[in-house]
């Protein structure tokens, strides 16, 4: 007949509040017990967000770091599971938002920009031409023509096309007026070139 080995009186598992109190006093075993008890829940929450492995791991580490930083300040240590759940949802949500903000960039597109530096002279000439065009638009007599011409110059991404509001004849008339205005300001020798 074999006798079961006993290591002493069987102890009931400690509550979260007791583990938090012990961990606050530097008990490494209490910290390990907290992590062992709640790691599965934190991992399940992080997996539910569908994050890539690296982001998932970062979120989980963030939860444990925040717990370590805030352990002495927990007002309700018996609600540790709820605190960890909320911290996991917050960390995963932030990780997801951060991931959405990062847009992948083709390295070849970056290399293309490195090989074609902007020429200061070219930039200056573009600005000068743009200023001359705005001056010519300002000299148009019809306010509607001025407004339409300024819409044509608007190259912002949210600019609406105005071609559906003007007829081809109106656009041709506008371009003729602008060409005349721009041609009148040039020197006679510039016109020949």
């Amino acid at each position: 007949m074999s006798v079961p080995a006993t290591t002493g009186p069987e102890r009931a598992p400690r509550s979260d509040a007791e583990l938090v109190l012990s961990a606050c006093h530097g008990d490494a075993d209490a910290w390990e017990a907290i992590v062992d008890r709640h790691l599965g829940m934190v991992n399940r929450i992080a997996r539910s967000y569908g994050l890539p492995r690296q982001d998932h791991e970062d979120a989980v580490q963030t939860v444990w770091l925040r717990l370590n930083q805030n352990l002495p300040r927990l007002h309700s240590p018996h609600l540790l599971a709820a605190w960890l759940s909320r911290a996991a949802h917050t960390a995963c949500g932030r990780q997801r938002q951060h991931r959405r903000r990062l847009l992948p960039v083709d390295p070849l597109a970056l290399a293309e920009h490195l090989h074609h530096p902007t020429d200061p002279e070219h930039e200056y000439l573009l600005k000068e031409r743009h200023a001359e065009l705005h001056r010519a638009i300002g000299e148009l007599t019809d306010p509607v023509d001025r407004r339409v011409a300024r819409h044509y110059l608007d190259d912002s991404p949210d600019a609406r096309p105005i071609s559906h509001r003007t007829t081809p004849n109106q656009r041709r008339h506008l371009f003729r007026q602008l060409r005349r205005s721009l041609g009148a300001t040039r020197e006679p020798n510039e016109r020949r070139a």
Side-chain angles (χ1 to χ4, degrees):
M1 172 171 191
S2 63
V3 177
T6 58
T7 56
E10 199 58 37
R11 223 176 131 187
R14 297 194 285 178
S15 69
D16 283 344
E18 293 171 336
L19 289 173
V20 167
L21 186 61
S22 296
C24 285
H25 292 298
D27 184 1
D29 292 334
W31 175 256
E32 286 180 26
I34 290 172
V35 173
D36 288 342
R37 184 177 291 176
H38 297 289
L39 182 61
M41 175 193 64
V42 172
N43 274 325
R44 276 191 302 277
I45 291 170
R47 271 194 307 272
S48 73
Y49 278 80
L51 297 170
R53 185 180 57 79
Q54 264 185 314
D55 293 342
H56 170 272
E57 290 172 359
D58 285 349
V60 170
Q61 284 180 346
T62 300
V63 170
W64 295 117
L65 176 66
R66 294 250 161 77
L67 177 62
N68 192 348
Q69 292 169 341
N70 294 304
L71 201 60
R73 292 188 290 275
L74 289 179
H75 295 290
S76 305
H78 63 283
L79 298 175
L80 178 63
W83 189 95
L84 285 169
S85 173
R86 187 178 70 243
H89 282 290
T90 302
C92 292
R94 284 187 180 152
Q95 199 68 26
R96 183 190 285 171
Q97 284 177 345
H98 178 70
R99 184 142 189 90
R100 284 182 185 157
R101 274 188 248 131
L102 297 176
L103 297 173
V105 176
D106 183 16
L108 295 176
L110 293 175
E112 203 173 282
H113 288 290
L114 292 175
H115 297 301
H116 300 292
T118 57
D119 180 20
E121 184 179 355
H122 178 71
E123 292 293 322
Y124 174 77
L125 291 174
L126 280 176
K127 286 180 184 178
E128 191 175 275
R129 186 173 62 190
H130 193 264
E132 188 177 339
L133 190 55
H134 272 283
R135 185 205 45 76
I137 289 172
E139 290 178 1
L140 292 173
T141 55
D142 187 9
V144 174
D145 285 347
R146 281 196 301 268
R147 189 178 65 234
V148 169
R150 284 193 180 108
H151 278 292
Y152 274 112
L153 287 180
D154 188 6
D155 60 350
S156 60
D158 58 341
R160 292 175 286 140
I162 61 164
S163 60
H164 68 279
R165 288 185 273 163
T166 59
T167 65
N169 285 338
Q170 289 172 323
R171 287 192 295 273
R172 273 194 296 275
H173 172 70
L174 176 65
F175 289 136
R176 266 190 236 117
Q177 283 184 310
L178 286 173
R179 272 191 219 106
R180 264 188 247 123
S181 178
L182 289 170
T185 59
R186 292 190 179 142
E187 296 295 322
N189 59 358
E190 286 181 10
R191 278 189 236 156
R192 282 186 227 128

